[in-house]
Amino acid sequence: MRSLIACLSLLAAPSMAAAQDIVEVDVELVLAVDISYSVDLEEARRQREGYVAALAHPDVISAIQAGPHGRIAVTYVEWADAGFQRPAAPWTLISSEADAMAFAAVVAAAPLERGHYTAIGSAIADGVERIETNNFQGIRRLIDISGDGPQNHGMDLAEARAIASAAGITVNGLPIITERPGHWTRPAEINLDEYFDRNVLTGPGAFVLAVREPEDIQMAILRKMTLEIAGAAPSRSELSGMAP
């Protein structure tokens, strides 16, 4: 009988150890950033600089520390084609200004690689997999996806949204609306904020914050991250775009 109990204890040990390795956090956040060729180099740099600045901003730090656990888990992923989703910074636990500064430094130092197409659905599916396979358990689970054009490659968007919805993951959008042609494609003649609202968003409290001027990218990223981490909703004026 004792030997049987010993055997059962040994069999249970790996699963118990795995459970102990899971870290509870307030938010699991995938920052999924479009770096397809429709995003010109200036826009790509502005996006990255905006996230780096936001990650170390006092508003974001305060939102992190105000949560029940006082910590979040975040990863920064740059995406383009269906097979191009590159983590510029891996999953990291952030509970202090020092943690946030260190994560921001990793993002800032990563090489800037580009891809041809805009595979939003594939980026969402990739974000879901990253959340489902990490070592964190969040009260809320979010994918924050930026982009300056509609999908033209990769997994069907409806299928990707269904995957996120089934996993209980919210997808928010940061459409960057520009009149300038990118290196690879011209600006799509659609209402991109409405496109994101209809085709990208899913989950409780999902929202779009549109950017209409290049100089507003950093402000929009800061506001969006602060809202996401705090579990708050944008104002009606913000939902109509960052620029008047």
Side-chain angles (χ1 to χ4, degrees), residues 75-149:
T75 183
Y76 186 96
V77 181
E78 293 177 328
W79 60 271
D81 307 346
F84 188 125
Q85 299 93 31
R86 186 183 68 87
W91 281 109
T92 302
L93 185 69
I94 297 179
S95 62
S96 67
E97 182 180 4
D99 294 339
M101 294 288 287
F103 182 83
V106 173
V107 173
L112 184 61
E113 299 177 16
R114 313 285 302 286
H116 291 126
Y117 300 105
T118 306
I120 303 173
S122 299
I124 291 172
D126 175 77
V128 171
E129 182 178 1
R130 291 180 191 278
I131 289 173
E132 294 279 68
T133 58
N134 66 24
N135 292 324
F136 300 98
Q137 181 60 54
I139 298 171
R140 290 177 293 113
R141 310 200 295 172
L142 304 171
I143 298 171
D144 175 339
I145 191 159
S146 73
D148 76 340

Side-chain angles (χ1 to χ4, degrees), residues 50-61 96-97 100-102 104-105 222 225:
Y51 281 103
V52 167
L55 283 161
H57 194 280
D59 289 354
V60 169
I61 304 302
S96 67
E97 182 180 4
M101 294 288 287
L222 171 60
M225 284 186 62

